[in-house]
């Protein structure tokens, strides 16, 4: 009987993947962006400082941090001015310098677009996108215009924050949809904003920051990319390097909140996550992490999980077969994660909506206020050994 049920689930998984796109839709198969951004060749060829610059592809974030620490402020600014795309995405570079470099890179991309298309000033969606990213007060920590585009934005003061978080989104997120108005609480931008606001409300005296990280190529719709781990495997090293870069700059180790397919990426990344680069991993609305248990993640970070009863992801078979599917449900007690309440959340993208218990729980986890966390079942079940 169990074997038949698992077979039926497997068939269901294939049908969800295939029918959801009208077949294996070739146009929905994404090419992952994994290499350093354009400009890396010019960066490597630059000997203006009479020494080699750290290779964006191979230098560790710690080595990058040491390199910038050896420069004067004027030298740092000059390097960022000459190589904005490289410096803006160089994990380990000073945070404020990356903000400046990305401002210059976005400004240059906007100008180049407008030169190539004179109508872009009035009509071009990309030109408008870049103009919005240039608004005063925005803190763009990463910007890569290749493909569908990748971006990371900071809310709060990352350089002084004592409690930090990184939001890792799932499917259909890129440079254009990162902060779209439609389905606002399903975007990493809005997730990060509401989480940061809740943290400030709960602990107004604690300096905090939240990063919305859309730094990998996400699946588009349902289909082979959403049903396999290919894009998660391509994105995992980028996430780990990003986290190592935060540590190299002295930022507090963040709680990493992984939504939907983002939890697949976090699950793949976890075994190679350097110690001290993440304090907690939170899987929410997860189709699986490509492991059967939390212990198999091989991480020293505390592992949490949440899913609301109305989330359709609960109907997706949690198994792996012939490369399809992502394995066990992190909210299954057998998985071994600390399960928190999400009863007041609605649907697949409502976990960060104001007034939800899930948002309250996420804020308390980031703040380390574990006694305030509401567990999914027994009040003590998710807080054991946390005091």
């Amino acid at each position: 009987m169990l074997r038949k049920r698992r077979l039926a689930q497997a068939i269901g998984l294939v049908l969800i993947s295939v029918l959801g796109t009208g077949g294996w839709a070739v146009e929905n198969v994404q090419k992952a962006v994994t290499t350093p951004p354009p400009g890396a060749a010019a960066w490597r060829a630059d000997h203006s400082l009479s020494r080699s610059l750290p290779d964006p592809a191979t230098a560790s974030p710690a080595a990058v941090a040491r390199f910038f620490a050896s420069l004067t402020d004027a030298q740092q600014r000059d390097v960022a001015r000459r190589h904005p795309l490289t410096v803006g995405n160089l994990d380990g570079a000073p945070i404020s310098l990356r903000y400046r470099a990305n401002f210059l890179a976005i400004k240059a991309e906007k100008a180049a677009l407008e030169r190539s298309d004179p109508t872009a000033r009035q009509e071009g969606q990309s030109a408008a996108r870049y103009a919005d990213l240039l608004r005063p007060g925005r803190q763009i920590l990463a910007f890569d215009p290749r493909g569908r585009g990748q971006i990371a934005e900071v809310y709060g003061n990352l350089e002084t924050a004592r409690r930090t978080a990184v939001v890792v989104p799932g499917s259909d997120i890129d440079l254009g949809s990162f902060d779209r108005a439609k389905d606002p609480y399903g975007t990493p931008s809005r997730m990060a904003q509401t989480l940061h606001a809740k943290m400030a409300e709960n602990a107004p005296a604690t300096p905090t920051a939240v990063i919305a990280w859309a730094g990998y190529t996400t699946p588009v719709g349902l289909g082979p990319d959403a049903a396999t781990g290919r894009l998660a495997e391509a994105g995992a090293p980028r996430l780990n390097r990003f986290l190592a870069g935060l540590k190299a700059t002295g930022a507090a180790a963040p709680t990493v909140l992984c939504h939907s397919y983002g939890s697949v990426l976090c699950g793949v990344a976890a075994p190679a996550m350097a110690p001290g680069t993440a304090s907690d991993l939170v899987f929410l609305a997860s189709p699986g992490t490509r492991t059967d248990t939390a212990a198999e993640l091989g991480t020293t970070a505390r592992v949490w999980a949440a899913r609301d009863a109305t989330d359709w992801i609960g109907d997706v078979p949690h198994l792996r077969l012939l490369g399809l599917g992502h394995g066990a449900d992190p909210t299954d007690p057998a998985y071994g994660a600390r399960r928190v309440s999400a009863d007041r959340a609605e649907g697949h993208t409502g976990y960060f909506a104001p007034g939800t218990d899930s948002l309250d729980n996420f804020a308390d986890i980031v703040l380390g206020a574990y006694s305030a966390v509401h567990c999914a079942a027994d009040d003590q079940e998710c807080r054991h050994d946390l005091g």
Side-chain angles (χ1 to χ4, degrees):
M1 181 65 70
L2 178 61
R3 185 175 181 180
K4 288 183 179 180
R5 183 163 63 249
R6 287 180 174 173
L7 178 60
Q9 289 177 329
I11 294 171
L13 174 62
V14 173
L15 288 175
I16 288 171
S17 301
V18 176
L19 297 179
T21 58
W24 295 113
V26 175
E27 65 271 17
N28 279 354
V29 177
Q30 302 299 301
K31 181 178 180 180
V33 174
T34 58
T35 56
W43 168 269
R44 294 187 185 101
D46 187 335
H47 297 286
S48 61
L49 295 174
S50 300
R51 55 174 159 157
S52 298
L53 306 184
D55 191 323
T58 61
S60 70
V64 170
R66 289 193 296 269
F67 165 76
F68 280 99
S70 72
L71 304 182
T72 66
D73 289 346
Q75 287 174 322
Q76 288 186 9
R77 290 193 298 270
D78 186 56
V79 168
R81 177 186 58 80
R82 288 184 284 114
H83 305 283
L85 268 176
T86 299
V87 174
N89 294 280
L90 197 55
D91 296 310
I95 291 166
S96 58
L97 190 67
R98 288 181 67 170
Y99 294 158
R100 176 60 182 166
N102 283 315
F103 178 87
L104 295 174
I106 295 166
K107 188 176 180 180
E109 288 293 319
K110 179 176 180 291
L113 176 66
E114 292 175 334
R115 284 195 301 271
S116 65
D117 181 3
T119 65
R121 286 185 178 87
Q122 293 78 34
E123 302 173 2
Q125 182 179 0
S126 294
R129 163 84 290 201
Y130 294 151
D132 187 52
L133 294 176
L134 293 171
R135 282 190 292 106
R138 298 198 75 165
Q139 301 178 123
I140 307 302
L141 190 59
F143 165 75
D144 188 338
R146 293 176 299 170
R148 289 158 47 211
Q150 298 180 7
I151 186 170
E153 185 169 11
V154 177
Y155 303 91
N157 190 330
L158 183 58
E159 293 171 294
T160 62
R162 286 170 40 208
R163 292 287 179 172
T164 64
V166 174
V167 175
V168 179
S171 299
D172 301 308
I173 297 297
D174 51 35
L175 185 61
S177 59
F178 170 79
D179 54 0
R180 63 180 183 245
K182 181 182 178 182
D183 188 23
Y185 299 114
T187 67
S189 172
R190 193 60 175 157
M191 290 177 185
Q193 289 180 65
T194 55
L195 177 59
H196 185 247
K198 187 63 182 177
M199 290 162 63
E201 176 187 329
N202 288 5
T206 301
T208 61
V210 182
I211 305 168
W213 184 81
Y216 77 108
T217 304
T218 67
V220 173
L222 295 172
D225 284 342
T228 67
R230 182 180 67 88
L231 293 181
E233 290 161 3
R238 298 176 74 84
L239 175 61
N240 283 340
R241 185 177 178 86
F242 179 77
L243 296 175
L246 295 179
K247 182 180 180 182
T249 61
T255 294
V256 184
L257 298 109
C258 313
H259 178 254
S260 193
Y261 190 86
S263 67
V264 182
L265 184 147
C266 290
V268 173
M273 244 173 230
T277 58
S279 62
D280 298 81
L281 289 177
V282 183
F283 299 123
L284 55 138
S286 176
T289 64
R290 303 191 77 77
T291 63
D292 290 329
T293 66
E296 291 177 18
L297 295 170
T299 178
T300 57
R302 290 172 287 268
V303 180
W304 307 78
R307 190 182 73 225
D308 78 77
T310 65
D311 189 342
W312 60 262
I313 203 74
D315 296 326
V316 173
H318 284 88
L319 73 162
R320 294 174 65 184
L321 177 72
L322 302 177
L324 295 173
H326 304 302
D329 178 1
T331 63
D332 187 324
Y335 184 83
R338 302 172 187 270
R339 297 178 299 132
V340 299
S341 172
D343 291 342
R344 296 201 302 273
E346 293 185 6
H348 190 58
T349 58
Y351 292 83
F352 289 82
T356 57
D357 51 346
S358 47
L359 178 62
D360 288 344
N361 282 325
F362 300 157
D364 289 331
I365 290 169
V366 180
L367 291 167
Y370 302 120
S371 62
V373 173
H374 289 97
C375 303
D378 183 339
D379 283 348
Q380 300 300 319
E381 171 263 341
C382 72
R383 300 198 303 267
H384 62 88
D385 70 26
L386 293 179

